[in-house]
Amino acid sequence: RSGSGKSTLCKLFMRFWDPSDGCIRISGQDIRGVNTDSLRAIEGYMTQETHLFSGTVGDNIALAKPDAAPEELMEACEKASLTGLIARLPQGLDTPVGELGDTLSGGERQRIGLARIFLNDAPFILLDEPTSALDALNEASVMQAIDELKRRGKTIVLVSHRASTCAFADFSLSVEHGRLS
């Protein structure tokens, strides 16, 4: 249910703050003992709302890996089902996104967020409602790419209300009133 603590759990994994009780462990290690920069270097995090910054579509994707080669950028776009959009944009990846991405739809912004995840290529990925603004066709394409990450050995924590998005999971947990079950 909304408000049960799912997004908070992702933020705890990122160590935006420490739990008031208990601990968060990754690979058996309490993350409070891990340097925050080191922890964030192994994590990729996509929030419910993809924030875009002044600049181009390409600039906004490259935030995940500023030194990415153009081929890497396009591969991330392909996995995030962005290539069709990029082909339609007047300047492709060099098209300005407008103030806070207001020239793009919610689904387009969300796919830019997903492209960041694919470009980052972290071993531990946190996805908070990654397909909530996508149509069924784009959702299926994106989930196929996410499933490929899983097959490559990535650990993925996926928060979603959509059964279709969660169908690829090895196991599911429910969060109720801040408790996992």
Side-chain angles (χ1 to χ4, degrees):
R1 292 187 189 143
S2 295
S4 64
K6 299 177 302 297
S7 296
T8 299
L9 181 62
C10 287
K11 291 172 185 169
L12 286 168
F13 274 122
M14 289 295 295
R15 198 163 177 225
F16 289 162
W17 58 82
D18 290 326
S20 56
D21 190 24
C23 68
I24 302 289
R25 294 181 185 275
I26 297 177
S27 296
Q29 185 165 353
D30 185 336
I31 63 173
R32 289 177 287 204
V34 178
N35 174 287
T36 306
D37 288 339
S38 297
L39 181 65
R40 303 255 171 87
I42 65 161
E43 295 176 326
Y45 178 40
M46 181 181 164
T47 62
Q48 285 182 349
E49 296 293 324
T50 299
H51 299 285
L52 299 183
F53 303 92
S54 181
T56 67
V57 171
D59 293 339
N60 272 277
I61 296 168
L63 287 171
K65 187 177 178 185
D67 61 342
E71 302 80 32
E72 291 177 288
L73 202 61
M74 286 310 296
E75 183 180 337
C77 290
E78 189 173 315
K79 290 176 181 177
S81 289
L82 272 173
T83 53
L85 169 68
I86 291 165
R88 288 189 307 273
L89 291 173
Q91 298 168 24
L93 284 172
D94 295 325
T95 303
V97 297
E99 187 69 28
L100 300 177
D102 63 1
T103 61
L104 301 171
S105 72
E108 291 164 345
R109 288 191 304 270
Q110 200 163 47
R111 285 182 285 154
I112 287 173
L114 285 161
R116 289 175 184 161
I117 289 294
F118 293 122
L119 186 61
N120 179 307
D121 201 30
F124 184 50
I125 301 167
L126 302 155
L127 302 170
D128 192 354
E129 295 288 353
T131 62
S132 62
L134 301 185
D135 59 41
L137 186 62
N138 282 315
E139 176 191 18
S141 178
V142 163
M143 290 312 300
Q144 187 174 19
I146 290 172
D147 193 44
E148 175 60 29
L149 292 176
K150 181 180 82 169
R151 285 194 300 274
R152 287 183 30 222
K154 308 289 184 178
T155 299
I156 301 169
V157 174
L158 173 67
V159 172
S160 183
H161 289 101
R162 285 186 177 185
S164 55
T165 299
C166 293
F168 89 108
D170 291 328
F171 63 92
S172 296
L173 298 170
S174 182
V175 181
E176 297 285 333
H177 308 293
R179 295 227 181 267
L180 284 174
S181 60

